[in-house]
Amino acid sequence: MGLPGLGALLLLLLAAPCPGQRAGDSVFQPSFIHMSGPRVNSFFLGNSSGVTFSVILSPGNEETGKLQVANCSGSKRAGDWNLDVTPGMNTSKVTVSLTRNLELCLPNATDCCPSPLCVLETLQVLACRGSVRLAQLLIQAEIFANSSFAGNVSENATIIPNQAFQPLGSCPCNLTAGACDVRCCCDLECTPDLKQLFNGSCFTGVFGGDVNPPFDQLCSSQSMEYTPEWFPFLCVQSSLDNTPFLGYFYHGSISTPKVPAFTIPLQTSPGRLFTGYRQGDPIITEENEYFTIPQQSLAGQCVGNAPVAYLQDFDVKCLTSLESYKEGLPHHVRINTGTADFIQQNVTYRTITDRGKFITESENLHPAEVLCQNVTFAEHYTFICKDKNIEQVNVTVFLGSLCDGEILTQRFTVEFLSLKSTNGEELPENTGYQVGKPVRAANINASDPLGTLNIWQPAGRGLCASATYTPVLFGVDSYSGCILEVGINEDCSLLRGNVTEKLNSLIQATHIGKRDNSSYSDPDDWVEIIRLDPFNSDTNVSTGNLKGFCPDIPANLNIHIMFAEVGAVQGIPQQQILAVQISYSTVLWQFQCGLSCGNSLSFLPITASVQFIKVPAQPPVRKTRYHRIYVEFDCNQNDVCLQQLFYPLTRFYTGEPYSQCLAKGLLLAFLVLLAVIMSNPWFSKLWNR
């Protein structure tokens, strides 16, 4: 990109409208997009009734870098670009897509990209009502040609040499035949122009083509941090072709691929019975399959066939409609208790009367056209356990009527209780935290010691005013936030206090429980929260007469929780919290607005992060000077050691039988001794006599 193109891009960044529009204005979100693929999406916020959308190519002036003034006379197609709009009530989805081919040109080919940088254009998307422009979306398109292989693959078999006597390959990252692999600089099929795209981020090491790296035994190698004094006497003078990595990736056997089944074998053979569940083990059914209940994946979506883990409670909510509704695992399935015995689930059915708690969205359909079906609204599972076995399973199923056009929020909960205490109390012997359970908080010096440690759970537009809270779960790193509306005339001191108050509302506690069953009456069961102030309140940060500019805003809350495994009860690790620290990260807030600021509002995102850090229960034993020196003589930790000075004569050498090595060694010693004797002057005198 030349200087004029760079000037146009900077002009786009300065002219792009930012968050902070008035509630009644129409705006694109985001209002500026740097496009690197053939399709991009934005959203038009506002009433789209009577609004026309158009896309316009806007080449910049090569001398000034300014864009041409766009009007409302455009269409939904400009050059190779198409504009699609999906209207909604107050939000419309705008999609801009490229229709041309992105393949690199072959000889005598058309409709292709002549150079790796295929598209470098500037687009404007306008939303107009009549001739009045309501909103503007600026797009900087910088798209490179595809480098994927699209030709024919030859069916001729490639002769692969025996890998026991060959290195891994001259270029292991060359995975695609007939095409350039990105970041593989040793790929001979990559042209110099393509290599310039990723020349600074090539694969390194063996995978990047360095298949014969210098090894530590070479006399010329300087990779060892500390070289022993005898290293020059024991080092090896050899070429890199005779490398110890030769055949390193060769296994010597061929294994047939096995399709993983969603089952595991039960240890029911005589002499090796199933000995019970441990924490985290999947629960097994009578059909030797996993007992599954819908759960949320890492991506936030619900997975219908997720296994239930032993001693791990959860409470999930899944959205579904009548079209996508699927029945789960039948309730007549029997469950393995842990000792190869099977028990039946105790199922209780109830009817939902208040559907408003589960139906989140409903379309306006005529009552005569609505199709309804009796479905499951919620399922609550209670597992009664004793030691490592399951004694009883109680299931409560809530049924209700779901109609076409409605969105149902299903809820699934699983709770494990001890046979000694089935009223919801925890096991007295299970003193540690379990992953996924809420962290206990308390106000030790208050009349009501109950405290909370939460993070945000935004809803709707993500504003802090409407955000709800969710508890911090042990062992689960979390990151959440919300958006705070700020005006241009906002006082910086008041803004800092408002943001600090919002962040402190998440932590209504002074201490955190070391264990899941910490007692409020025992101060030793709690650790005090270490708070680091976001800024010094005595320091007056002056910004002059600038409006909409505030430094040192504590917009980020960092919660660090250190824990350790302090033992195990019946094979279940006991994890305790050792310390909790809360700190703030400050940002520089600057008011952002569109073409005109006026009395508009800007958005300030504030976040909260939770990180669990596992530390040793006790400090590691410090190594003495003797241990540090002894490592130099340990043959298990060094490739070269003094004990292997006469390597062929020691037990470490396994290339030949020890008896043959000893005989050859004695013969060699005899020849050396004979040579020494014969080279002595007195031997020659004796021989002459």
Side-chain angles (χ1 to χ4, degrees):
M1 184 186 298
L3 292 176
L6 180 59
L9 179 58
L10 293 175
L11 182 60
L12 289 175
L13 291 171
L14 294 175
C18 302
Q21 303 293 334
R22 291 188 296 267
D25 291 349
S26 300
V27 67
F28 285 102
Q29 286 290 351
S31 58
F32 172 75
I33 299 176
H34 182 270
M35 184 177 182
S36 60
R39 182 184 299 270
V40 72
N41 296 322
S42 182
F43 294 92
F44 176 75
L45 306 181
N47 189 2
S48 61
S49 177
V51 177
T52 59
F53 298 88
S54 60
V55 59
I56 301 172
L57 279 172
S58 301
N61 192 313
E62 295 183 357
E63 296 181 357
T64 63
K66 296 182 178 180
L67 300 177
Q68 295 181 0
V69 179
N71 51 39
C72 296
S73 60
S75 63
K76 291 187 177 181
R77 182 173 177 86
D80 297 327
W81 301 92
N82 276 342
L83 175 64
D84 296 324
V85 180
T86 304
M89 182 65 67
N90 293 319
T91 303
S92 301
K93 183 179 180 181
V94 179
T95 302
V96 179
S97 56
L98 181 65
T99 59
R100 65 171 296 177
N101 187 12
L102 293 177
E103 299 293 337
L104 277 176
C105 289
L106 298 175
N108 301 326
T110 58
D111 188 22
C112 55
C113 299
S115 62
L117 183 57
C118 189
V119 179
L120 182 59
E121 295 177 343
T122 303
L123 306 174
Q124 296 187 51
V125 179
L126 301 180
C128 303
R129 183 175 282 114
S131 60
V132 178
R133 185 173 63 181
L134 301 179
Q136 179 183 15
L137 169 63
L138 300 178
I139 301 176
Q140 176 68 39
E142 185 179 6
I143 306 175
F144 290 88
N146 292 335
S147 60
S148 59
F149 178 69
N152 296 325
V153 180
S154 175
E155 296 182 356
N156 296 332
T158 303
I159 300 176
I160 300 177
N162 189 350
Q163 291 299 305
F165 307 101
Q166 300 289 334
L168 181 62
S170 59
C171 189
C173 60
N174 184 9
L175 304 177
T176 308
C180 174
D181 291 271
V182 179
R183 297 183 60 191
C184 187
C185 295
C186 61
D187 192 348
L188 300 179
E189 293 156 343
C190 295
T191 62
D193 294 337
L194 289 177
K195 288 184 179 180
Q196 290 181 357
L197 301 177
F198 50 83
N199 193 24
S201 58
C202 299
F203 290 115
T204 59
V206 177
F207 187 70
D210 189 12
V211 295
N212 287 335
F215 44 96
D216 294 338
Q217 294 84 355
L218 281 178
C219 295
S220 60
S221 177
Q222 301 295 331
S223 60
M224 300 178 62
E225 296 182 0
Y226 174 73
T227 304
E229 297 178 355
W230 59 83
F231 178 77
F233 183 68
L234 298 178
C235 64
V236 178
Q237 292 285 359
S238 175
S239 64
L240 292 180
D241 295 334
N242 187 23
T243 170
F245 299 102
L246 190 65
Y248 183 75
F249 298 93
Y250 176 72
H251 297 289
S253 62
I254 299 176
S255 59
T256 58
K258 296 181 180 180
V259 179
F262 205 53
T263 60
I264 62 173
L266 285 178
Q267 301 175 358
T268 56
S269 57
R272 194 179 179 185
L273 298 177
F274 195 76
T275 58
Y277 295 104
R278 294 180 301 177
Q279 183 182 11
D281 288 346
I283 297 178
I284 310 301
T285 63
E286 185 180 11
E287 288 77 15
N288 194 21
E289 296 179 349
Y290 289 135
F291 181 72
T292 60
I293 296 176
Q295 300 177 46
Q296 284 185 348
S297 63
L298 295 178
Q301 299 177 347
C302 283
V303 181
N305 55 350
V308 177
Y310 186 68
L311 292 182
Q312 291 187 1
D313 302 348
F314 62 84
D315 185 350
V316 299
K317 295 180 180 180
C318 301
L319 297 179
T320 184
S321 61
L322 188 60
E323 297 179 355
S324 60
Y325 175 79
K326 294 182 180 179
E327 289 289 345
L329 198 65
H331 295 102
H332 60 77
V333 175
R334 300 206 303 169
I335 296 177
N336 191 299
T337 62
T339 57
D341 295 331
F342 305 98
I343 57 175
Q344 190 71 39
Q345 306 177 48
N346 302 323
V347 185
T348 303
Y349 293 94
R350 297 181 181 178
T351 303
I352 293 294
T353 57
D354 185 9
R355 298 171 66 250
K357 298 181 180 179
F358 297 89
I359 303 299
T360 57
E361 182 178 344
S362 178
E363 299 178 359
N364 295 326
L365 299 176
H366 194 273
E369 302 175 356
V370 174
L371 176 63
C372 298
Q373 181 180 346
N374 199 32
V375 299
T376 300
F377 276 42
E379 292 182 354
H380 300 299
Y381 292 81
T382 303
F383 291 83
I384 310 300
C385 309
K386 181 180 180 181
D387 297 334
K388 300 182 180 181
N389 305 326
I390 299 176
E391 300 291 335
Q392 187 177 351
V393 180
N394 299 326
V395 185
T396 304
V397 181
F398 295 88
L399 303 176
S401 179
L402 177 63
C403 300
D404 193 11
E406 296 179 340
I407 303 299
L408 171 64
T409 303
Q410 287 183 300
R411 183 178 180 183
F412 300 92
T413 63
V414 170
E415 184 180 13
F416 288 86
L417 300 178
S418 170
L419 183 62
K420 302 177 183 178
S421 176
T422 59
N423 57 357
E425 298 179 359
E426 297 296 330
L427 283 166
E429 64 273 9
N430 187 12
T431 59
Y433 279 103
Q434 295 181 14
V435 177
K437 286 201 170 185
V439 175
R440 299 194 62 185
N443 293 293
I444 297 299
N445 298 326
S447 58
D448 183 10
L450 184 61
T452 58
L453 180 63
N454 299 322
I455 57 176
W456 281 299
Q457 189 176 11
R461 297 174 57 193
L463 299 178
C464 296
S466 59
T468 58
Y469 299 112
T470 180
V472 173
L473 304 180
F474 181 81
V476 180
D477 294 344
S478 307
Y479 185 86
S480 67
C482 62
I483 298 175
L484 189 65
E485 293 181 323
V486 185
I488 190 173
N489 298 319
E490 188 78 20
D491 182 78
C492 293
S493 299
L494 295 178
L495 179 59
R496 295 189 190 96
N498 189 17
V499 173
T500 305
E501 181 181 358
K502 293 289 185 183
L503 295 176
N504 289 338
S505 65
L506 300 175
I507 309 171
Q508 299 294 329
T510 59
H511 291 72
I512 298 298
K514 295 181 180 179
R515 299 176 294 274
D516 196 17
N517 62 345
S518 298
S519 176
Y520 292 112
S521 59
D522 188 359
D524 294 336
D525 287 351
W526 305 84
V527 294
E528 185 176 1
I529 299 176
I530 303 174
R531 296 176 181 264
L532 303 180
D533 293 334
F535 55 90
N536 190 355
S537 58
D538 297 334
T539 303
N540 184 15
V541 181
S542 176
T543 59
N545 297 324
L546 295 178
K547 291 185 178 180
F549 180 85
C550 292
D552 297 333
I553 302 298
N556 305 316
L557 174 66
N558 309 309
I559 304 175
H560 299 280
I561 302 177
M562 288 177 285
F563 69 98
E565 288 188 5
V566 296
V569 176
Q570 297 179 353
I572 302 176
Q574 302 299 298
Q575 301 178 115
Q576 294 185 9
I577 293 179
L578 304 181
V580 179
Q581 183 189 70
I582 296 175
S583 61
Y584 300 84
S585 301
T586 59
V587 298
L588 174 66
W589 174 77
Q590 183 177 1
F591 188 88
Q592 296 178 339
C593 58
L595 299 178
S596 62
C597 293
N599 295 324
S600 59
L601 296 176
S602 181
F603 296 135
L604 172 63
I606 56 179
T607 61
S609 63
V610 180
Q611 182 182 9
F612 286 85
I613 305 172
K614 186 176 182 180
V615 297
Q618 295 180 353
V621 180
R622 185 178 179 181
K623 290 186 177 180
T624 61
R625 184 174 179 270
Y626 167 77
H627 287 92
R628 292 195 299 267
I629 297 177
Y630 181 75
V631 172
E632 303 173 6
F633 302 91
D634 189 0
C635 296
N636 295 326
Q637 302 185 31
N638 296 276
D639 293 331
V640 178
C641 62
L642 186 61
Q643 290 86 337
Q644 297 181 3
L645 177 60
F646 300 99
Y647 180 70
L649 302 180
T650 62
R651 296 283 186 179
F652 297 100
Y653 181 66
T654 57
E656 294 179 338
Y658 180 73
S659 58
Q660 296 183 12
C661 296
L662 183 60
K664 294 178 181 179
L666 294 177
L667 178 60
L668 179 61
F670 174 76
L671 295 177
V672 171
L673 180 61
L674 182 61
V676 171
I677 295 176
M678 295 180 65
S679 62
N680 198 292
W682 65 266
F683 179 82
S684 58
K685 295 180 180 180
L686 182 63
W687 181 264
N688 293 332
R689 291 180 182 178

